[in-house]
Amino acid sequence: MALIGQEVSTDPWIDIPGEVIDVLRSWRPTPLVRAERLEAALGTPARIYFKDESVSPAGSHKPNTAVPQAFYNKVEGISRLSTETGAGQWGSSLAYACSRFDLECKVYMVRASFEQKPYRRMMMEVWGGSVEPSPVDDPSHPGSLGSAISDAVRDAVSRADTHYSLGSVLNHVLLHQTVIGLEAKEQLAMAGESGPNLVVASCGGGSNFGGISLPFVPDAGVDILAVEPSSCPTLTEGRFDYDFGDTVGLTPLLPMYTLGHEFVPPSIHAGGLRYHGDAPIVSNLVQAGRVRAVAYPQRKVFDAAVQFARTQGTIPAPETSHAIRAVIDEALAAKESGEEKVILFCYSGHGLLDLAAYDDYLHGRLIEV
Amino acid sequence: MALIGQEVSTDPWIDIPGEVIDVLRSWRPTPLVRAERLEAALGTPARIYFKDESVSPAGSHKPNTAVPQAFYNKVEGISRLSTETGAGQWGSSLAYACSRFDLECKVYMVRASFEQKPYRRMMMEVWGGSVEPSPVDDPSHPGSLGSAISDAVRDAVSRADTHYSLGSVLNHVLLHQTVIGLEAKEQLAMAGESGPNLVVASCGGGSNFGGISLPFVPDAGVDILAVEPSSCPTLTEGRFDYDFGDTVGLTPLLPMYTLGHEFVPPSIHAGGLRYHGDAPIVSNLVQAGRVRAVAYPQRKVFDAAVQFARTQGTIPAPETSHAIRAVIDEALAAKESGEEKVILFCYSGHGLLDLAAYDDYLHGRLIEV
């Protein structure tokens, strides 16, 4: 009920409970880092800062909402959460959060990922989660996020001790993620900057993008850019309409940019960006002209990812690398114009469990999309 | 020559060059973390702190020496480094360091690891390193650290542009790693502690152990504990003797605790602790009674690793988990005695690329050693 209250709240501020802060402070505040080596390599007058969400136990921004979701369910007497996961970023974050509050965690994982990408399944199990390949009723089917959502929702409605948990798209999820942008704003001030001129983040369902950008929406003069894959161009080529959040039509209808709930994106490595729709809040801001969007093909994204790894030193997730591609292009444009702009982006996750994607890129096996 | 100078120096302090600090500060100082959740789970009056070296780009303490080694070679006109690696921790750290100073990096990787554990090979390639399975002259041989050292040394002596680089055992390597203990000492003071009563670290070649413990050796009353696998019990069951550092006898003889340079440890998951000898400095301190040592079997180590992951939240490397096992036992002993001791240990690396080891443990496939 607390989460539903947050979903429909019109309050400008909602307090973070102390029990949630006690967990978040295991890795928060996350570092705000100046990308000095990337700046030098590009020869840009732009100052590039990134908010490093990869330092969480699960390696991405996802625990920011998994932890409060587990907490509010625990408080209301729920002892078990079910969810779906594709490559495993969200499932591993929820398994981590459940282990904090002694909740059982049941994750339905897309069977193709369950079989081909076992590392995040193992991570969920280390934290005590139970993982089952989906669809549960057809062991020969490779599965999809749609089938996994169906399995997780069916699980939750069939048991009184269980609720279903969602890792993106919804208002309360974006609310929890705004801790990213709120911290970044204070940290930029500590670094002596009056604020960013440009905020950049990759956008799949919208939780990472909303998390860093929403606190800057009221600030006049801050340009905000969402970056998506050209193979799943929701904001740049979708239509604004009511559509289902899942592929089989179990959810309420949501007003959003969508490619149609039956759209199946190609198997790009940025699994977290393979979503047919976008958060209603983000969609609304794009429609209103407050947020702009750009799309990039996979190869250009990995060009940027490797350039980042060889200059800054850390290896970004394929999803995060979409933002890095856009940041590099914006920094090079600033070099052309001589503009000393301040660019802030969200380093939403590390790529240590995505190294096979880099291997495909370095050895010419990346699919062309 | 600068590194050889450090190897034989008797100076109490050697400055870190600015160019090295410029790289180290990408992730240093590393966090000193109070393990509050582990303390609570154990119900111990001990206060447990760990120095988190897993935050480096390569995910372990190894870059602390890879970076200065690359720097001093660059300054002296060397353009290429060769080295060996087992599972890839050291090779990936040197590849990272070489990418900082535009050096070529050639890594000879034990063939069995090259084929079965591709993720660290991919990591080295992302940073521009070149990786070749060893032995180079026998594609049907699974390889060993000994054969890989031979290949790397042969490579270096055959080319004027190349030096060979070593990631543990030697004096200058331990010197570079003392940044860990020096930072921890200052951070403990900032946390209001007068100092640790006990310092714990896992010990393979000795660079992690020496790194955190050497700065505390002069401090009276500080108990220092080295932890090793019972399947490779160098300090607890080896003899103190002159022996070769490698298995084929190419290196100078070193005075150390050794199981004999032809000793082949079982294939435990803590690859970084599978070494027949120990750093001369560490061996000397054990022989003098200043440092004590304990050995644990693999299963007990993973019991501790999973307990840590489910309480503290992060997943430690199998090597690091040896220290965690000992810390838990010492904290439980403090509970028995009611002693409010301060325990400091080195969280030398994360286990994100070792999840298959956890999978073996959780599904009953761990070999009994």
Side-chain angles (χ1 to χ4, degrees):
Chain A
M1 285 311 298
L3 293 168
I4 291 172
Q6 292 177 358
E7 186 69 18
V8 298
S9 172
T10 55
D11 293 341
W13 294 99
I14 292 175
D15 281 345
I16 305 175
E19 295 90 334
V20 172
I21 289 178
D22 271 350
V23 177
L24 294 185
R25 71 186 174 85
S26 305
W27 73 95
R28 305 209 70 89
T30 60
L32 180 76
V33 183
R34 173 102 180 256
E36 287 175 326
R37 289 174 176 266
L38 179 62
E39 290 173 16
L42 298 173
T44 179
R47 296 193 291 284
I48 303 172
Y49 294 86
F50 62 90
K51 184 69 172 157
D52 187 0
E53 293 296 307
S54 77
V55 299
S56 82
S60 78
H61 67 293
K62 291 289 185 189
N64 295 333
T65 184
V67 172
Q69 288 194 44
F71 168 74
Y72 288 116
N73 274 288
K74 174 80 173 184
V75 166
E76 294 177 22
I78 289 296
S79 63
R80 185 171 171 276
L81 291 179
S82 74
T83 197
E84 77 288 339
T85 201
Q89 276 282 11
W90 168 243
S92 57
S93 298
L94 194 66
Y96 163 78
C98 284
S99 81
R100 300 299 80 186
F101 296 106
D102 293 318
L103 295 173
E104 278 185 70
C105 182
K106 174 77 184 217
V107 181
Y108 293 90
M109 187 171 187
V110 173
R111 179 171 278 106
S113 296
F114 183 91
E115 288 169 355
Q116 291 159 23
K117 298 180 176 178
Y119 266 39
R120 286 203 176 270
R121 187 259 302 160
M122 296 171 189
M123 193 181 231
M124 294 182 244
E125 291 178 346
V126 169
W127 284 317
S130 164
V131 190
E132 192 174 338
S134 168
V136 293
D137 54 5
D138 183 359
S140 67
H141 195 291
S144 69
L145 217 44
S147 75
I149 294 178
S150 304
D151 282 332
V153 170
R154 277 193 209 105
D155 178 302
V157 296
S158 71
R159 295 178 55 147
D161 63 348
T162 301
H163 275 169
Y164 168 71
S165 179
L166 193 68
S168 191
V169 179
L170 299 180
N171 299 342
H172 68 275
V173 177
L174 271 63
L175 167 76
H176 300 156
Q177 293 292 356
T178 54
V179 66
I180 304 172
L182 291 169
E183 283 180 8
K185 206 171 220 186
E186 285 189 32
Q187 290 169 316
L188 275 173
M190 289 166 68
E193 299 288 1
S194 57
N197 302 107
L198 171 65
V199 178
V200 182
S202 64
C203 193
S207 77
N208 158 55
F209 176 77
I212 194 161
S213 69
L214 292 182
F216 295 99
V217 166
D219 299 355
V222 179
D223 185 16
I224 303 178
L225 178 62
V227 192
E228 59 185 15
S230 28
S231 58
C232 191
T234 326
L235 297 171
T236 51
E237 294 184 34
R239 67 180 194 281
F240 190 86
D241 203 351
Y242 278 91
D243 198 1
F244 295 108
D246 63 321
T247 57
V248 285
L250 290 176
T251 74
L253 288 165
L254 300 165
M256 61 181 177
Y257 279 96
T258 176
L259 297 163
H261 64 275
E262 290 178 335
F263 177 78
V264 179
S267 295
I268 57 168
H269 285 291
L273 306 184
R274 294 177 69 239
Y275 183 61
H276 70 274
D278 257 295
I281 289 176
V282 173
S283 297
N284 194 273
L285 288 164
V286 170
Q287 203 195 28
R290 180 65 188 90
V291 165
R292 61 191 175 96
V294 64
Y296 283 105
Q298 181 163 245
R299 181 175 307 277
K300 279 182 181 297
V301 166
F302 275 94
D303 289 344
V306 169
Q307 184 173 11
F308 189 89
R310 292 187 182 172
T311 51
Q312 283 300 123
T314 56
I315 300 175
E319 291 84 356
T320 308
S321 304
H322 283 72
I324 295 171
R325 170 76 275 165
V327 166
I328 289 174
D329 287 356
E330 292 280 343
L332 291 173
K335 181 180 179 179
E336 283 295 309
S337 65
E339 201 182 350
E340 273 192 42
K341 62 164 48 168
V342 175
I343 302 175
L344 168 68
F345 77 93
C346 191
Y347 192 86
S348 51
H350 64 63
L352 295 179
L353 300 185
D354 303 286
L355 282 162
Y358 283 88
D359 202 43
D360 284 349
Y361 168 78
L362 292 171
H363 296 278
R365 293 190 305 264
L366 216 54
I367 60 167
E368 298 278 358
V369 284
Chain B
M1 285 311 297
L3 292 167
I4 292 171
Q6 293 177 359
E7 186 68 18
V8 299
S9 172
T10 55
D11 294 340
W13 294 99
I14 292 176
D15 281 344
I16 305 175
E19 295 90 334
V20 171
I21 290 179
D22 271 350
V23 176
L24 294 185
R25 72 186 173 86
S26 306
W27 73 94
R28 304 210 73 87
T30 60
L32 181 76
V33 182
R34 173 103 180 257
E36 288 175 325
R37 288 174 176 267
L38 179 62
E39 290 173 16
L42 298 173
T44 180
R47 295 192 293 283
I48 303 172
Y49 295 85
F50 62 90
K51 185 68 172 157
D52 187 0
E53 293 296 307
S54 76
V55 300
S56 82
S60 79
H61 67 293
K62 291 289 184 190
N64 295 334
T65 184
V67 171
Q69 289 195 44
F71 167 75
Y72 288 117
N73 275 287
K74 173 80 173 183
V75 167
E76 292 177 26
I78 289 297
S79 63
R80 186 172 172 276
L81 291 179
S82 73
T83 197
E84 76 289 338
T85 201
Q89 276 282 13
W90 169 242
S92 56
S93 298
L94 194 66
Y96 162 77
C98 285
S99 81
R100 303 297 80 188
F101 295 106
D102 293 318
L103 295 172
E104 278 185 71
C105 182
K106 174 76 184 220
V107 181
Y108 294 90
M109 187 170 186
V110 173
R111 181 171 276 108
S113 296
F114 183 91
E115 289 170 355
Q116 291 158 23
K117 300 179 176 178
Y119 266 39
R120 287 203 176 269
R121 186 261 299 160
M122 296 172 189
M123 192 181 233
M124 294 182 243
E125 291 178 346
V126 168
W127 283 318
S130 164
V131 190
E132 192 173 339
S134 167
V136 294
D137 53 6
D138 183 359
S140 68
H141 195 289
S144 69
L145 216 45
S147 75
I149 293 178
S150 305
D151 282 332
V153 171
R154 279 193 208 103
D155 177 303
V157 297
S158 70
R159 294 178 56 148
D161 63 348
T162 302
H163 275 168
Y164 169 71
S165 179
L166 192 68
S168 191
V169 179
L170 299 180
N171 299 342
H172 68 275
V173 177
L174 271 63
L175 168 75
H176 301 155
Q177 293 291 359
T178 54
V179 67
I180 303 172
L182 291 169
E183 283 180 6
K185 205 172 220 185
E186 286 189 32
Q187 289 169 316
L188 275 174
M190 289 167 68
E193 300 288 1
S194 57
N197 302 107
L198 172 64
V199 178
V200 182
S202 65
C203 193
S207 77
N208 159 55
F209 176 77
I212 193 160
S213 69
L214 291 182
F216 295 98
V217 166
D219 299 355
V222 179
D223 185 16
I224 303 178
L225 178 61
V227 192
E228 60 186 16
S230 27
S231 58
C232 191
T234 326
L235 296 171
T236 51
E237 295 184 33
R239 68 180 192 279
F240 190 86
D241 203 353
Y242 278 90
D243 198 2
F244 295 108
D246 63 322
T247 56
V248 287
L250 290 175
T251 73
L253 287 165
L254 300 166
M256 60 182 177
Y257 279 97
T258 176
L259 296 163
H261 64 276
E262 290 178 335
F263 176 78
V264 179
S267 294
I268 56 167
H269 285 291
L273 306 183
R274 293 177 68 239
Y275 183 62
H276 69 272
D278 259 293
I281 289 177
V282 173
S283 297
N284 194 273
L285 288 165
V286 170
Q287 202 194 29
R290 181 66 188 91
V291 165
R292 61 191 175 95
V294 64
Y296 283 106
Q298 182 164 243
R299 181 174 306 277
K300 280 183 182 294
V301 167
F302 276 94
D303 289 344
V306 169
Q307 185 173 11
F308 189 88
R310 292 185 182 173
T311 51
Q312 283 301 121
T314 56
I315 300 173
E319 292 83 356
T320 307
S321 304
H322 283 73
I324 294 172
R325 170 76 274 164
V327 166
I328 288 174
D329 287 356
E330 293 280 343
L332 291 173
K335 182 182 179 179
E336 283 295 308
S337 65
E339 203 182 349
E340 275 192 42
K341 62 164 47 168
V342 175
I343 302 175
L344 168 69
F345 78 93
C346 191
Y347 192 85
S348 52
H350 64 63
L352 295 179
L353 300 186
D354 302 286
L355 282 164
Y358 283 89
D359 202 43
D360 284 350
Y361 168 77
L362 291 172
H363 296 279
R365 294 190 305 264
L366 215 57
I367 60 168
E368 298 278 359
V369 285

